[in-house]
Amino acid sequence: MEIINKIRQFREDERQLEWRGTFKEYLELVKEYPHIAQTSHSRVYNMIKDAGITERDNQKMYHFFGHDIFGLEDSIEKLVEEYFHSAARRLDVKKRILLLMGPVSGGKSTIVTMLKRGLEQYSKTDAGAVYAIEGCPMHEDPLHLIPPHLRDDFYEEYGIKIEGHLSPLNLMRLEKEYDGNIEDVMVERIFFSEDRRVGIGTFSPSDPKSQDIADLTGSIDFSTIAEYGSESDPRAYRFDGELNKANRGMMEFQEMLKCDEKFLWHLLSLSEEGNFKAGRFALISADELIVAHTNEAEYQSFISNKKNEALHSRIIVMNVPYNVKVSEEERIYEKMIQDSDMASVHIAPHALKTAAIFSILTRLKEPKNQSIDLVKKMRLYDGEEIEGFKEQDVEELKKEYQDEGMDGIDPRYVINRISSAIIRKDVASINALDVLRSLKEGLDQHPSISNEDKERYMDFISAARKQYDEAAKKEVQKAFVYSYEESAKTLMDNYLDNVEAYCNKNKLKDPLTGEEMSPDEKLMRSIEEQIGISENAKRAFREEILIRISAYARKGKRFDYNSHERLREAIQQKLFADLKDVVKITTSTKTPDESQLKKINEVIARLIDEHGYNSVSANELLRYVGSLLNR
């Protein structure tokens, strides 16, 4: 019954947040907490900012989006700073409709949903508190009660600008219910809720023949006309359209560019003047963020139509491309799987990364610099260090194409193919080869892939397979080298002795004969070449090792096998190369002898304990790497 107690506690917490008082009492609150009178755009910006901002490599990371949006840091920073921040400062951007444009499954809807859910929670905090005239269907700002001729005086006293005018309904209520006494008008705290239609609205166009403009602006309540005597009496009007209900918060305009023109006309005055026309009333003020989303093809069609020119200038377009970083794409898949019924399935290491490599390659454009191929570009984008390239080179690559990431394979397709692989294999474990096979088979079923694209995508599957082959061999290499750890340590000690002699221009003594020898250049190069250390770079690398040894010695520490990551990798690869014949025999033999079986079991245990495999995927990996080595 613990959940019942939590429900009760939640209900009690909600009650604690409630507030009700007169307009006079509300002004006292405003005096003490001016932020409660902020505009809708300002509230959204502060909500994002209050969630936290981290700056890394001259880029702002907004924690608000960190749990659901991956790899779109550039787009999110542009969205927050160029639109929300500017609009919060009442710059002209505030008068623009925000249009998110990007490919399907790129994150547009997720961003909008996060803003809506975020506002719901933020309105329950002190920083995001919202107050409205009690009983108003549009949750009108109480400051609209201040007469226009007194607003300059109000600004001098409170430092707050008032935008908008009292709605027809509240103007009548002020006269009839409160006898014109503004200070007595009741004010209440409201909490945004899309389900309850408070401060958050969603408009989705349907058949133009059947959809009514009342869906946006409300409608006459014919059942009350006899009571109130006129269609122009605001009490005979239902202020329940999406523009009415989204007042003070935000409205999502789904498929805006597919709308009938009559639905878009209202957005012209709403965006520019902050009001819209409804029924037989004066213009109705509304303070709301309007967010729409579309794809590039629809947008191009929209702007090519001269009839839409008036709306063009009232729209700010923000591109939301696909993510182009492999590690972030992998996080997208992990989250989608975690949110699905596939969470219990064992997905072997590198399976999702291999799928991500394929996806990212389909989204990248060929570099103009011919010394960089797509795979190298992909690795640079993902933050990998590649010899001969600097961070400035990556920035230059990003500037080559403004529309990079606006097409390619979408994450939903990949997840669908992973699901298909799981169902087909009918076991609770899949690996990278299963995923690649499923991706390949699915290309024939993808409705929007041309034959030309299909050929390119097949090449990208081959490229992803090559990347996986290297990763698979390296994984087995690490597991085998661990079984020969003493050999690895001996090889490393031997290398360090030679490096020390080389850097200090000394000789080495043969441990058996005592004869003096020159440093073993062949041994050192055979290790250094494993990690791409060139002939020209060998001295700098060796001196770096010697400096690291000295630094450890000054601190009273011993330089060991795990003290230098790149050197450890080089030792592992060298030892693995020397052991390749042993590995071939051990992994490919169908009837291993006792010593081979022991070695296999040690390697499998290592893969399970240290690398995240289960017994099925570990055995599959060993068999696959064995076949690779025997080719």
Side-chain angles (χ1 to χ4, degrees):
M1 299 297 284
E2 187 180 346
I3 190 65
I4 298 299
N5 293 330
K6 288 183 178 180
I7 290 171
R8 286 174 182 153
Q9 185 60 50
F10 172 76
R11 191 164 58 239
E12 184 58 34
D13 292 343
E14 293 261 291
R15 285 186 187 134
Q16 292 292 325
L17 293 174
E18 291 175 1
W19 185 92
R20 182 175 182 271
T22 64
F23 182 65
K24 181 181 178 182
E25 292 169 327
Y26 171 70
L27 287 184
E28 291 172 5
L29 272 181
V30 173
K31 192 82 170 178
E32 189 174 358
Y33 308 107
H35 67 270
I36 65 177
Q38 63 189 323
T39 63
S40 59
H41 290 79
S42 177
R43 188 174 292 107
V44 172
Y45 173 68
N46 287 326
M47 170 186 73
I48 295 169
K49 183 167 63 73
D50 290 352
I53 303 171
T54 301
E55 194 154 337
R56 188 168 66 231
D57 299 330
N58 296 320
Q59 187 167 63
K60 290 181 178 178
M61 320 289 285
Y62 296 91
H63 300 180
F64 179 84
F65 296 102
H67 297 297
D68 291 284
I69 301 294
F70 306 109
L72 297 181
E73 292 83 6
D74 290 335
S75 299
I76 292 295
E77 183 173 0
K78 187 176 181 182
L79 172 65
V80 175
E81 293 302 320
E82 292 188 17
Y83 184 79
F84 288 124
H85 192 184
S86 299
R89 303 288 292 272
R90 297 177 189 265
L91 294 174
D92 213 45
V93 172
K94 181 178 180 290
K95 299 177 180 180
R96 305 291 178 265
I97 297 164
L98 175 61
L99 179 64
L100 303 179
M101 183 176 70
V104 294
S105 193
K108 304 183 299 295
S109 298
T110 302
I111 289 172
V112 175
T113 300
M114 290 184 74
L115 291 173
K116 291 195 290 189
R117 297 295 85 81
L119 277 174
E120 289 180 342
Q121 294 303 314
Y122 195 59
S123 67
K124 295 176 183 177
T125 66
D126 292 339
V130 190
Y131 295 82
I133 295 173
E134 187 180 62
C136 174
M138 285 184 59
H139 327 294
E140 188 165 9
D141 186 348
L143 294 183
H144 285 182
L145 290 162
I146 303 287
H149 67 279
L150 295 178
R151 292 186 177 183
D152 288 340
D153 297 335
F154 181 83
Y155 179 72
E156 284 184 22
E157 185 176 349
Y158 287 81
I160 296 170
K161 290 181 179 178
I162 302 174
E163 296 177 359
H165 300 276
L166 205 58
S167 66
L169 179 61
N170 286 322
L171 193 59
M172 176 175 280
R173 289 178 65 204
L174 176 61
E175 294 171 359
K176 292 187 178 294
E177 294 179 27
Y178 297 99
D179 200 25
N181 295 319
I182 293 173
E183 64 273 21
D184 295 334
V185 174
M186 296 305 297
V187 175
E188 63 181 346
R189 182 173 179 181
I190 62 170
F191 305 99
F192 288 158
S193 169
E194 184 174 20
D195 293 338
R196 296 189 180 97
R197 301 187 74 214
V198 178
I200 297 176
T202 303
F203 181 79
S204 183
S206 58
D207 184 359
K209 295 177 182 178
S210 61
Q211 190 159 33
D212 192 348
I213 198 68
D215 294 344
L216 271 184
T217 61
S219 61
I220 298 170
D221 185 354
F222 289 100
S223 66
T224 61
I225 291 177
E227 181 182 351
Y228 298 117
S230 170
E231 290 183 14
S232 60
D233 190 311
R235 292 171 298 180
Y237 195 85
R238 294 194 186 102
F239 293 89
D240 59 357
E242 293 303 322
L243 292 180
N244 306 104
K245 293 300 182 180
N247 186 35
R248 312 295 303 287
M250 67 173 283
M251 189 185 83
E252 176 187 7
F253 213 119
Q254 296 178 349
E255 304 296 345
M256 185 183 83
L257 304 187
K258 290 180 180 176
C259 271
D260 189 84
E261 288 178 19
K262 65 181 179 181
F263 291 96
L264 300 179
W265 292 336
H266 287 279
L267 301 182
L268 294 175
S269 62
L270 180 60
S271 59
E272 188 68 31
E273 308 296 337
N275 51 47
F276 63 92
K277 191 78 171 69
R280 298 178 179 179
F281 307 114
L283 291 170
I284 298 173
S285 296
D287 169 31
E288 55 197 80
L289 161 69
I290 298 178
V291 186
H293 40 90
T294 188
N295 59 49
E296 193 169 8
E298 283 180 358
Y299 179 70
Q300 293 301 330
S301 174
F302 174 76
I303 61 174
S304 64
N305 188 345
K306 295 293 183 182
K307 291 182 179 179
N308 299 321
E309 283 183 350
L311 201 56
H312 293 176
S313 61
R314 290 170 172 85
I315 291 176
I316 279 193
V317 180
M318 289 287 173
N319 283 354
V320 183
Y322 285 132
N323 155 61
V324 290
K325 295 179 182 177
V326 171
S327 55
E328 295 297 315
E329 188 74 7
E330 198 174 354
R331 290 179 68 195
I332 293 173
Y333 301 155
E334 286 170 355
K335 184 179 185 303
M336 293 174 82
I337 288 169
Q338 202 60 43
D339 293 342
S340 73
D341 293 336
M342 294 191 291
S344 60
V345 175
H346 173 76
I347 298 177
H350 304 291
L352 297 183
K353 183 176 182 179
T354 304
I357 288 171
F358 163 71
S359 296
I360 300 304
L361 287 174
T362 68
R363 300 169 189 173
L364 297 179
K365 294 185 180 292
E366 287 288 346
K368 294 176 182 178
N369 182 346
Q370 294 186 351
S371 67
I372 306 175
D373 59 22
L374 269 187
V375 172
K376 196 173 286 185
K377 181 178 183 178
M378 173 192 73
R379 292 171 58 198
L380 286 168
Y381 273 14
D382 205 34
E384 285 190 46
E385 289 185 8
I386 297 178
E387 192 174 353
F389 294 95
K390 300 175 183 177
E391 191 175 326
Q392 186 179 348
D393 297 314
V394 180
E395 293 305 314
E396 291 299 320
L397 280 172
K398 289 179 179 178
K399 291 175 184 175
E400 285 184 349
Y401 300 99
Q402 295 301 310
D403 61 341
E404 190 164 56
M406 294 296 280
D407 55 18
I409 289 293
D410 65 279
R412 287 195 194 116
Y413 169 78
V414 174
I415 290 299
N416 290 343
R417 298 315 304 166
I418 290 174
S419 303
S420 177
I422 290 169
I423 292 167
R424 185 186 298 110
K425 198 171 181 185
D426 198 28
V427 293
S429 174
I430 62 166
N431 58 39
L433 296 177
D434 298 321
V435 172
L436 285 176
R437 195 177 300 115
S438 186
L439 287 170
K440 183 178 178 181
E441 292 169 357
L443 293 179
D444 291 325
Q445 304 166 21
H446 202 295
S448 61
I449 295 179
S450 64
N451 288 332
E452 185 182 346
D453 282 340
K454 184 181 173 184
E455 284 185 30
R456 286 175 54 244
Y457 290 176
M458 293 292 283
D459 290 340
F460 295 148
I461 286 175
S462 298
R465 169 84 176 263
K466 287 178 183 176
Q467 295 294 306
Y468 171 65
D469 288 353
E470 291 303 312
K473 284 189 282 188
K474 195 172 288 187
E475 204 92 283
V476 172
Q477 163 194 311
K478 288 179 182 177
F480 259 95
V481 168
Y482 180 78
S483 299
Y484 291 89
E485 192 166 11
E486 287 305 315
S487 302
K489 289 178 179 175
T490 301
L491 182 60
M492 184 166 179
D493 288 340
N494 196 359
Y495 173 79
L496 293 177
D497 287 342
N498 280 275
V499 163
E500 193 171 357
Y502 171 86
C503 291
N504 294 329
K505 298 181 180 178
N506 292 334
K507 297 280 188 180
L508 289 168
K509 280 190 177 181
D510 188 299
L512 293 177
T513 65
E515 181 185 352
E516 286 193 340
M517 305 178 301
S518 297
D520 191 338
E521 183 66 22
K522 187 177 179 181
L523 170 72
M524 290 187 287
R525 291 301 294 139
S526 69
I527 292 170
E528 292 157 357
E529 285 170 351
Q530 301 294 329
I531 52 172
I533 302 296
S534 65
E535 184 71 25
N536 293 333
K538 69 181 183 182
R539 172 173 286 278
F541 181 74
R542 293 170 188 177
E543 288 175 349
E544 179 201 329
I545 296 293
L546 201 62
I547 290 169
R548 183 78 65 91
I549 292 171
S550 301
Y552 269 69
R554 284 197 302 274
K555 295 176 183 176
K557 296 180 181 178
R558 185 177 180 276
F559 186 91
D560 62 21
Y561 183 62
N562 295 307
S563 299
H564 194 285
E565 189 175 338
R566 291 192 74 205
L567 180 56
R568 184 175 74 243
E569 183 184 347
I571 295 291
Q572 287 176 348
Q573 290 189 24
K574 166 62 177 166
L575 187 59
F576 187 65
D578 294 345
L579 291 170
K580 193 169 282 188
D581 289 337
V582 176
V583 176
K584 280 183 187 179
I585 296 168
T586 308
T587 55
S588 60
T589 183
K590 293 181 180 178
T591 54
D593 58 31
E594 189 176 338
S595 64
Q596 290 170 339
L597 190 60
K598 182 182 177 184
K599 193 65 65 181
I600 289 172
N601 289 336
E602 285 178 6
V603 170
I604 287 174
R606 179 75 173 172
L607 289 170
I608 293 171
D609 295 340
E610 300 293 329
H611 299 285
Y613 291 82
N614 67 2
S615 58
V616 174
S617 58
N619 276 288
E620 288 174 341
L621 178 72
L622 279 182
R623 286 196 296 273
Y624 180 63
V625 171
S627 71
L628 287 177
L629 294 175
N630 279 305
R631 286 176 188 172

